[in-house]
Amino acid sequence: MRSTEKLRTFLLKCQHSDTSASLAALRHIRYRMLGKNILANDRVVIKGARNIETRGLLQIGMNPVAMMHKHDHTLLNIKGRLTFLDNYIIGKGCRFDIGEAATAELGKGYITANSIFIICHGINIGHDCAISWGCQFIDWDHHQISYLGRQERDPRIVIGNHVWVGSNVSVLKGSRIPDGCVIAAGSVVCSVFEQSNCLIAGNPAKVIREEIAWQ
């Protein structure tokens, strides 16, 4: 009975995400043979699968979002190291570009859709984090800007546990977001925040509410 329920759940998931069940099953088997627990729709492109570590089930493009189209593509270009510490969901239309010397580590959570990760150094995202659509995570400026008094800092991005990143947020190099925080939609984060459970908003983002809770 349990196997029947799992099969029914799988078939419904494929149906709702406009995915061929047979192709999804074949790809899942192929990834399992490579030691990767990945379930992806047939419009997902993964380059560098050998550089991905899955400690739970990684679902890519399998969860329907009303604004997404069945032909939307998802790309993972992994030249460095990408580790999922638990079950994780990546929505349709997302792009991951992890550079050769970069490491990315994500705890249990999900990304809704159409978000971009351009990581040349490193990013750590804790457990129970929700990332909305249209977000950007970039730890490199691509061009160097020089000025008097410029201070260098660790470019890696660190996000704590139970953080909610609203839609169309940009998180830039060196950013630190503590546990329990919420980043308001459209914000640009480029600072180190130290206080947990805060509402952070604006461009550049700053704390506008303290001692908040979200679920």
Side-chain angles (χ1 to χ4, degrees):
M1 186 65 169
R2 201 168 182 180
S3 297
T4 303
E5 289 177 357
K6 286 184 177 180
L7 177 59
R8 183 172 180 274
T9 300
F10 170 72
L11 292 174
L12 285 173
K13 186 181 290 289
C14 290
Q15 180 183 349
H16 292 157
S17 59
D18 296 305
T19 300
S20 165
S22 57
L23 288 177
L26 287 171
R27 293 189 75 182
H28 183 59
I29 293 169
R30 181 165 62 87
Y31 286 127
R32 289 305 298 263
M33 292 175 66
L34 295 173
K36 319 295 179 182
N37 193 7
I38 299 174
L39 179 62
N41 74 24
D42 47 13
R43 293 175 182 85
V44 172
V45 176
I46 300 179
K47 298 181 179 179
R50 66 185 181 278
N51 299 320
I52 300 174
E53 180 182 353
T54 56
R55 301 181 190 175
L57 175 61
L58 172 60
Q59 300 183 61
I60 310 175
M62 296 299 295
N63 290 70
V65 178
M67 64 184 175
M68 301 305 296
H69 190 272
K70 65 180 181 180
H71 294 306
D72 287 323
H73 286 71
T74 307
L75 171 64
L76 276 67
N77 183 28
I78 314 302
K79 298 182 288 291
R81 196 73 196 159
L82 175 58
T83 302
F84 295 93
L85 301 176
D86 207 319
N87 296 335
Y88 205 85
I89 296 172
I90 297 175
K92 289 183 178 182
C94 290
R95 300 286 189 271
F96 279 70
D97 190 359
I98 309 299
E100 290 183 6
T103 59
E105 187 175 274
L106 290 79
K108 185 175 184 179
Y110 66 86
I111 306 168
T112 303
N114 284 342
S115 287
I116 296 173
F117 289 73
I118 301 176
I119 304 299
C120 297
H121 301 281
I123 184 170
N124 288 78
I125 299 178
H127 290 283
D128 192 29
C129 290
I131 298 174
S132 301
W133 60 88
C135 296
Q136 297 184 87
F137 298 82
I138 305 172
D139 71 347
W140 185 45
D141 290 334
H142 298 276
H143 298 279
Q144 186 69 33
I145 300 175
S146 300
Y147 53 87
L148 187 64
R150 176 185 172 91
Q151 295 182 345
E152 297 295 336
R153 65 181 182 186
D154 187 346
R156 293 176 297 173
I157 295 170
V158 179
I159 298 174
N161 298 311
H162 193 59
V163 172
W164 175 14
V165 181
S167 61
N168 298 310
V169 166
S170 293
V171 181
L172 306 181
K173 71 173 189 178
S175 296
R176 303 287 189 276
I177 302 171
D179 296 349
C181 288
V182 175
I183 313 300
S187 299
V188 177
V189 182
C190 53
S191 301
V192 174
F193 295 93
E194 299 179 350
Q195 188 173 347
S196 302
N197 305 109
C198 290
L199 175 59
I200 298 170
N203 181 8
K206 62 181 181 180
V207 174
I208 62 171
R209 292 284 187 279
E210 298 180 358
E211 298 182 3
I212 67 163
W214 71 273
Q215 57 183 349

